[in-house]
Amino acid sequence: MARSGSRWLAYPCVTINPIDERLLTKWTCKEVSMYRTNLHMYIGMYLGVCINTTKTIAGSYDMANTTSNLVAELTQYFNTRHLYPSAAWLQSFVSTIRPNTPLPALKQTALFRLLAADITNTLTPTTSSSVFPRNILDADIELRQLTGPIVCQVLHLEDIGLSRWAQVEAIEAQERGEATRGREVIRVIENETDGSTITPVLQSKGPFKLLLQDAKGAQVYALELNGIHGISSNMSMGAKLLLRNVQVRRAVVMLEAPHVQSLGGKLDSLDNAWKQARKNRLTNAAKSYAGSAS
Amino acid sequence: MARILCVAEKPSIAKAVANHLGGQARADNVRGIQWVKNYKFDYNFQSWGQSSVTFTSVAGHIQNMEFHTRYQKWTGCQPSELFDAPTEVFVAKDKKPIADNIASLAAHATILFIWTDCDREGEHIGSQVREIALKANPNMQVWRARFSNIERAHIIQAAGNPIRLDDAQVSAVSARIELDLRLGAAFTRMQTLALQNMMPQRDDVKKVISYGSCQFPTLGFVVDRYLRVRNFVPEPFWYIKVVHEKDGINVKFTWRRGHLFDRMAVIIIFERCVSAKVAKVTKTSKKPTKKWKPLPLTTVELQKMGSKFLRLTSQDVMKTAEALYTKGWISYPRTETDQFDRGMDLRKLIERQQQDGRWGPFAQSLMNGGFNQPRNGRNNDKAHPPIHPVNYVAPTQLNDNERRVYEFVVRRFLACCSEDAVGEATDVEIEYGGENFHAHGLTVIARNYLDVYPYDKWESSQNLPQYTVGEQLEPKESSMEEGKTSAPSYLTEPELIALMDANGIGTDATMADHIGKIKDREYVMARVKGAAGGNGGDSAGGNGRGRGRGRGRAGRGGREGAAAGHGEGGAGGAANGGVQEFIPTTLGIALIEGYDNVGFETSLSKPFLRKEMEVQMKAICEGRSSRNDVVQQNLDQYRAVFIRTTQQINVLKAAITKYVVQPNQN
């Protein structure tokens, strides 16, 4: 996803991914003026929207009016997705964008940034049903249902289908660059990526135990038992989920297919730290269990 | 009349073949070597007519490859020079009388007919015989017999259809020999010189720390598993069990999820089940099922089964099979083929087994219409059929090991020619609180091949009552249970063979030797599985158990076979207890960890480099690569590893200190 500006310049015809915020934020003025026409055209083609480039140039419009219109547009855009960003966040977003950026691209950028931010800072839940109830941690309640919709972010995930030690062994094999195919040990040759990403540990079907956080900062465990697209041992921490009509059993949210929608996104610093610490965390957890088990 | 010189790979084959062709052939002694005889007789060959035949043999390889004298002394050169030091091939000192015998016989013969075993090594030994014979008599025609057992009709067939030596196979072996020599000598000297003084000495004998490109990956597998066992951390898990009673039968349903590693999660799921109260049958099936009869027997399979069921080490299994082959009871025991040729008369072989008291009746039933063509596996080395009994031999004529191996080969063969076992599998699946549970039942209807093949187990389980889809049921009992993960066990011999096979370490013919070597070198010790409980303790090593060095290189074909016997079971294990498991010594662990820490892309402890070499051997055989290219390419690869190791020799030393020196000081 992370395409550098220079590569863009070299290949102006490459398909534009609307979710890539760099598209609109990392360009220098000169680049923009050089490629504005092209860019608009391609975004237009991509989104199937015809954009008249002359009209999007902001010069003759009233800036204040445009800004409030824009906030309104974005608010509506987000609300249809059950996202309620705070006014402050919207203001600050609008202030960072360049004038005369086409609206559809703006919306995509806004969504991308919102999903990459910590919802405890960015979202202001409008109703009590859009966050977990206050007594969510009351384990005496065997079963209840939350209508939602609730937007929450994933802070932690554990694969509970595999022993922690088996996961440690898999990580170690991967560090050595090995994998096994049946009895055969095979060498995994790393493909030439940018190297920053940590490659998947292992494909696991789970089930998973997650720690979720809502916009007010309440944290609650959740179980994912039967597979949901977007939830896996390789998912990014800080990813956002939208919950509707989920069951809560003994203070644990049951994540089940039609009631959970993965919105994507991540929190970079959390995700990196979480992945870095994974092996140690699993090792320590395994050892502490071993101590208590024997 | 043509004068034909026949040469077999070992004296026993010469004797057997000569007797098939020449009746009671006259045996002349050979000067300087008592166990080789020259058999003289007349025989009418299809290709050459009535001929006067001399049938002699060699005893494995006659020639050795060595470095020039200057490089033979350890102090004479840097170990690194051995990568390209000049070598020469010469007749081994102890084989001189054999070579002389061939040369003098060749001088009077017109045709050389080679009867070495039909595999790569045999092809190479044949080429050595050819070289010696042609030197004595350059005008000889050279032919080769193609045979895979020494049953009479087969031998006569082979005598009538001579073929040419396959020089591609000869080249492959010669490449292998050169690589083994150079790499073995260079690494052995380098690591011995660097590490020897660190080793605790006993009896003032300075120990050689040998290296072999198959030995090390083999050792690597043992160490890998050992460390996994040692490092293992047990963890608790939880699961749900459901019992339902129907028609007076307690049906146990097991959880589809197996078990989970989070107590809270299982409690919540369990509560959901219990509060659902009623379960529903979601699937039932009753269908015929089969247990497939085994595939025709290959060498690797024989070795695995041998160490699993016959309680013999792979080396002993091979030694015994070799003896049975030499005596004409079974076919050639080195084969990768697991499919019988369609044209082969299997009934005739079954017929001969009818007289046996144990499996005779089964063989009879096959003859009376029970015969089925064996399944075909995927491998065919195009040289030998799967291992099968050739002739019947009464148990009284065999020693204990031979009896067990022969019995296994016969039973396996009869099983192959029989029918799959047939049964009926019943499966019931229920949904209970959103979770799936299932019960499985098996009824064996016809045992078929199992009757003659006790090594496979397939038993009827409890009968399941009749359930119908949609049926609601209330479990009699549901409970949440706790368990604990347990460590894997140390690597057993069948597992090690399987690993070597899958990773291309050695060939089916040499695997047992490599395993024997790492035992001889005191890199691992073998013990009977379960003999010593616990985790092996801290002194994992077999320190202080002085065993001889075993035999030298190229331990093939000679009279001795595998000198290193079984039964060096540590920890008081008896030789005959059961499957052997391997535990590395401190030296073994130190070497593997040391090389791993040197950190080349592909450590010598890993199978990758050697596997590549084995693939290239095959390429030579198939004419896709040349001997020279393969040798050079491998030397380059290993030279890089060598240089890196010498540069970082302290890493290796540190590992020796950690595992060998320090524990000895305490």
Side-chain angles (χ1 to χ4, degrees):
Chain A
M1 281 293 141
R3 293 198 184 94
S4 71
S6 60
R7 201 149 145 216
W8 269 96
L9 288 173
Y11 303 102
C13 287
V14 71
T15 314
I16 290 163
N17 184 333
I19 214 105
D20 190 343
E21 65 161 353
R22 285 160 217 245
L23 198 99
L24 297 154
T25 54
K26 289 237 169 135
W27 287 58
T28 65
C29 290
K30 195 174 152 214
E31 284 165 358
V32 172
S33 66
M34 273 173 70
Y35 286 93
R36 180 181 296 147
T37 326
N38 266 347
L39 190 62
H40 288 182
M41 222 169 72
Y42 286 116
I43 292 175
M45 278 162 59
Y46 189 88
L47 300 174
V49 177
C50 182
I51 298 165
N52 184 338
T53 49
T54 56
K55 274 195 183 167
T56 55
I57 296 182
S60 58
Y61 287 77
D62 174 1
M63 273 307 279
N65 187 26
T66 314
T67 305
S68 63
N69 277 347
L70 199 52
V71 168
E73 286 270 9
L74 289 173
T75 305
Q76 201 210 343
Y77 171 75
F78 282 128
N79 291 356
T80 57
R81 284 163 177 72
H82 307 288
L83 292 165
Y84 298 91
S86 65
W89 186 85
L90 281 168
Q91 280 304 328
S92 86
F93 172 75
V94 169
S95 72
T96 62
I97 56 155
R98 289 169 195 286
N100 66 40
T101 310
L103 190 60
L106 263 185
K107 287 177 177 170
Q108 296 291 344
T109 307
L111 180 62
F112 181 90
R113 284 213 211 150
L114 187 63
L115 293 178
D118 182 346
I119 58 168
T120 60
N121 298 327
T122 56
L123 299 189
T124 43
T126 48
T127 60
S128 62
S129 66
S130 58
V131 288
F132 296 125
R134 256 163 219 252
N135 66 346
I136 183 74
L137 295 182
D138 184 351
D140 287 339
I141 304 175
E142 187 190 330
L143 172 65
R144 64 178 137 174
Q145 187 139 355
L146 304 182
T147 327
I150 300 172
V151 173
C152 56
Q153 55 194 5
V154 178
L155 297 185
H156 182 61
L157 171 137
E158 272 178 75
D159 185 336
I160 58 172
L162 275 173
S163 73
R164 292 153 196 87
W165 193 249
Q167 296 177 56
V168 171
E169 285 186 328
I171 292 171
E172 282 177 346
Q174 194 184 34
E175 286 170 350
R176 290 193 304 268
E178 288 170 20
T180 48
R181 189 198 294 138
R183 280 204 176 88
E184 192 183 1
V185 185
I186 51 176
R187 252 167 83 201
V188 183
I189 290 124
E190 279 176 44
N191 45 359
E192 299 288 317
T193 49
D194 50 346
S196 61
T197 47
I198 296 161
T199 34
V201 170
L202 71 170
Q203 281 309 321
S204 164
K205 291 205 204 90
F208 300 103
K209 180 163 105 175
L210 300 87
L211 183 62
L212 305 180
Q213 185 180 43
D214 70 8
K216 284 204 166 149
Q219 298 185 8
V220 60
Y221 278 121
L223 286 176
E224 191 284 288
L225 297 175
N226 297 317
I228 286 176
H229 184 72
I231 297 182
S232 74
S233 46
N234 308 321
M235 75 184 297
S236 302
M237 288 303 107
K240 313 294 186 283
L241 303 177
L242 178 65
L243 314 179
R244 269 177 290 203
N245 300 317
V246 288
Q247 288 192 343
V248 179
R249 290 180 175 270
R250 304 283 180 195
V252 176
V253 180
M254 309 301 283
L255 302 177
E256 279 158 317
H259 309 301
V260 182
Q261 188 189 344
S262 166
L263 302 177
K266 69 168 164 178
L267 295 174
D268 265 322
S269 56
L270 171 69
D271 190 52
N272 287 340
W274 187 84
K275 281 176 177 154
Q276 296 286 334
R278 183 181 230 166
K279 184 175 152 191
N280 273 338
R281 188 174 56 236
L282 286 165
T283 307
N284 294 337
K287 288 188 170 157
S288 75
Y289 264 109
S292 66
S294 55
Chain B
M1 196 157 81
R3 285 185 307 277
I4 307 212
L5 170 60
C6 296
V7 184
E9 190 169 318
K10 31 191 173 289
S12 51
I13 302 284
K15 182 178 180 187
V17 176
N19 283 334
H20 283 323
L21 299 181
Q24 287 298 321
R26 191 177 94 230
D28 290 353
N29 285 329
V30 176
R31 180 199 283 268
I33 189 150
Q34 320 100 318
W35 67 83
V36 173
K37 302 267 191 276
N38 294 337
Y39 298 90
K40 302 217 158 138
F41 56 91
D42 288 351
Y43 184 76
N44 190 358
F45 285 98
Q46 270 171 33
S47 332
W48 312 306
Q50 188 67 22
S51 313
S52 139
V53 184
T54 306
F55 213 119
T56 186
S57 75
V58 294
H61 287 274
I62 320 166
Q63 295 175 334
N64 270 355
M65 181 184 251
E66 261 308 341
F67 294 109
H68 279 184
T69 24
R70 176 165 105 68
Y71 297 93
Q72 284 181 23
K73 271 227 161 108
W74 281 45
T75 48
C77 69
Q78 290 295 318
S80 61
E81 291 177 59
L82 299 175
F83 277 94
D84 34 34
T87 57
E88 56 190 345
V89 173
F90 57 89
V91 173
K93 224 188 217 156
D94 55 330
K95 301 290 170 66
K96 193 98 186 358
I98 293 177
D100 290 347
N101 180 45
I102 291 171
S104 74
L105 293 172
H108 306 289
T110 47
I111 291 171
L112 173 64
F113 196 10
I114 294 165
W115 286 77
T116 49
D117 294 347
C118 287
D119 59 12
R120 265 190 230 166
E121 295 293 320
E123 219 65 19
H124 192 262
I125 294 169
S127 79
Q128 298 171 19
V129 172
R130 176 177 63 183
E131 192 183 322
I132 292 165
L134 286 182
K135 210 183 263 173
N137 180 358
N139 298 323
M140 280 183 116
Q141 282 185 47
V142 181
W143 294 94
R144 190 215 202 303
R146 192 218 218 87
F147 65 106
S148 61
N149 68 63
I150 49 174
E151 188 262 329
R152 189 184 153 78
H154 182 74
I155 290 298
I156 286 167
Q157 155 81 11
N161 297 284
I163 56 166
R164 295 290 182 184
L165 267 183
D166 180 355
D167 280 301
Q169 290 192 48
V170 174
S171 297
V173 174
S174 129
R176 203 258 311 142
I177 290 174
E178 179 171 348
L179 286 170
D180 280 353
L181 171 69
R182 290 189 187 280
L183 301 177
F187 278 95
T188 300
R189 286 191 203 179
M190 182 268 289
Q191 69 189 21
T192 303
L193 291 173
L195 307 176
Q196 193 171 50
N197 288 332
M198 302 174 71
M199 303 294 296
Q201 284 182 31
R202 46 175 193 254
D203 315 329
D204 285 334
V205 182
K206 288 211 172 183
K207 201 169 148 168
V208 173
I209 303 170
S210 83
Y211 166 82
S213 58
C214 282
Q215 274 175 60
F216 263 52
T218 306
L219 173 59
F221 290 131
V222 175
V223 173
D224 261 9
R225 176 64 71 82
Y226 173 77
L227 293 178
R228 269 191 68 200
V229 176
R230 288 301 302 270
N231 294 336
F232 184 80
V233 179
E235 285 171 69
F237 55 74
W238 294 267
Y239 60 98
I240 299 170
K241 227 173 69 181
V242 173
V243 180
H244 177 243
E245 190 181 330
K246 187 170 188 184
D247 304 342
I249 303 169
N250 273 330
V251 185
K252 292 189 187 87
F253 287 91
T254 53
W255 197 15
R256 273 291 183 203
R257 294 187 194 277
H259 50 246
L260 296 181
F261 291 87
D262 189 275
R263 188 163 176 270
M264 177 196 81
V266 180
I267 290 177
I268 288 173
I269 296 169
F270 181 58
E271 190 180 50
R272 191 164 68 175
C273 294
V274 173
S275 57
K277 290 200 179 69
V278 177
K280 203 170 87 183
V281 177
T282 51
K283 228 189 270 174
T284 63
S285 74
K286 189 172 250 199
K287 52 185 170 200
T289 179
K290 277 181 176 179
K291 184 163 178 64
W292 287 358
K293 60 188 183 179
L295 283 171
L297 188 61
T298 63
T299 307
V300 170
E301 187 70 7
L302 172 66
Q303 291 179 10
K304 282 199 287 193
M305 298 310 241
S307 43
K308 205 161 157 188
F309 295 116
L310 310 181
R311 306 184 165 186
L312 295 170
T313 67
S314 54
Q315 272 186 327
D316 284 340
V317 171
M318 287 316 291
K319 202 171 84 180
T320 310
E322 195 93 37
L324 289 168
Y325 158 69
T326 305
K327 291 176 186 164
W329 307 130
I330 66 171
S331 64
Y332 193 59
R334 296 179 195 278
T335 173
E336 290 171 29
T337 307
D338 50 11
Q339 37 188 256
F340 279 106
D341 197 77
R342 274 272 163 190
M344 205 169 149
D345 190 354
L346 302 177
R347 287 161 191 276
K348 211 166 85 193
L349 300 171
I350 297 170
E351 195 175 5
R352 294 181 186 146
Q353 299 296 334
Q354 290 185 111
Q355 54 191 297
D356 188 88
R358 294 154 295 177
W359 52 78
F362 190 88
Q364 256 165 41
S365 74
L366 292 184
M367 292 306 293
N368 296 333
F371 175 82
N372 268 283
Q373 186 66 22
R375 291 165 57 204
N376 276 351
R378 290 208 200 114
N379 307 294
N380 195 334
D381 61 15
K382 301 270 159 54
H384 300 284
I387 304 168
H388 61 271
V390 175
N391 269 314
Y392 179 74
V393 57
T396 45
Q397 280 177 266
L398 299 174
N399 70 31
D400 192 44
N401 284 358
E402 287 171 348
R403 200 154 47 232
R404 278 189 274 173
V405 173
Y406 183 71
E407 173 171 351
F408 175 73
V409 171
V410 175
R411 288 184 180 275
R412 173 75 168 222
F413 173 71
L414 295 176
C416 283
C417 298
S418 174
E419 255 182 293
D420 297 340
V422 181
E424 189 178 66
T426 317
D427 285 284
V428 180
E429 184 130 354
I430 58 171
E431 188 259 9
Y432 183 37
E435 294 294 301
N436 293 318
F437 297 82
H438 83 287
H440 175 80
L442 170 72
T443 313
V444 177
I445 293 167
R447 286 178 51 80
N448 294 336
Y449 88 89
L450 291 169
D451 283 334
V452 77
Y453 198 69
Y455 314 101
D456 274 356
K457 296 269 174 287
W458 207 50
E459 304 286 346
S460 290
S461 67
Q462 184 197 37
N463 271 326
L464 292 185
Q466 190 76 36
Y467 285 101
T468 45
V469 176
E471 180 180 342
Q472 309 251 331
L473 54 93
E474 215 169 308
K476 175 185 171 192
E477 196 186 314
S478 24
S479 54
M480 179 169 149
E481 312 273 337
E482 182 171 344
K484 208 162 92 175
T485 55
S486 53
S489 59
Y490 296 116
L491 202 61
T492 62
E493 187 158 27
E495 286 176 309
L496 179 56
I497 291 169
L499 274 171
M500 293 172 76
D501 188 36
N503 289 286
I505 300 305
T507 63
D508 48 2
T510 58
M511 281 178 203
D513 288 344
H514 299 312
I515 297 175
K517 276 242 175 76
I518 59 170
K519 286 196 269 183
D520 291 349
R521 305 298 193 220
E522 294 178 12
Y523 294 159
V524 306
M525 54 175 207
R527 68 175 192 196
V528 173
K529 192 173 172 182
N535 269 358
D538 282 326
S539 67
N543 291 332
R545 190 171 300 109
R547 295 205 74 250
R549 260 187 36 99
R551 66 233 154 87
R553 280 189 303 124
R556 178 194 158 88
R559 293 152 307 134
E560 284 307 313
H566 52 107
E568 57 247 77
N576 260 0
V579 182
Q580 288 213 326
E581 62 183 12
F582 299 115
I583 297 160
T585 62
T586 49
L587 175 58
I589 299 177
L591 287 171
I592 294 302
E593 188 173 300
Y595 275 103
D596 280 353
N597 287 349
V598 170
F600 3 82
E601 199 186 328
T602 50
S603 170
L604 294 182
S605 74
K606 301 291 177 199
F608 313 120
L609 278 176
R610 179 68 204 198
K611 181 188 218 162
E612 186 54 31
M613 197 195 288
E614 215 71 60
V615 168
Q616 290 172 332
M617 296 296 127
K618 269 215 167 108
I620 300 180
C621 288
E622 290 160 13
R624 288 182 283 113
S625 192
S626 80
R627 177 193 186 284
N628 238 357
D629 287 353
V630 169
V631 169
Q632 282 318 318
Q633 200 183 326
N634 275 284
L635 287 179
D636 287 348
Q637 269 183 315
Y638 277 92
R639 191 186 279 119
V641 178
F642 185 91
I643 291 168
R644 180 111 184 214
T645 309
T646 46
Q647 283 165 350
Q648 301 194 27
I649 196 71
N650 284 334
V651 175
L652 208 53
K653 287 182 174 170
I656 297 285
T657 306
K658 176 175 161 194
Y659 286 102
V660 184
V661 180
Q662 279 169 358
N664 267 296
Q665 284 165 348
N666 295 339

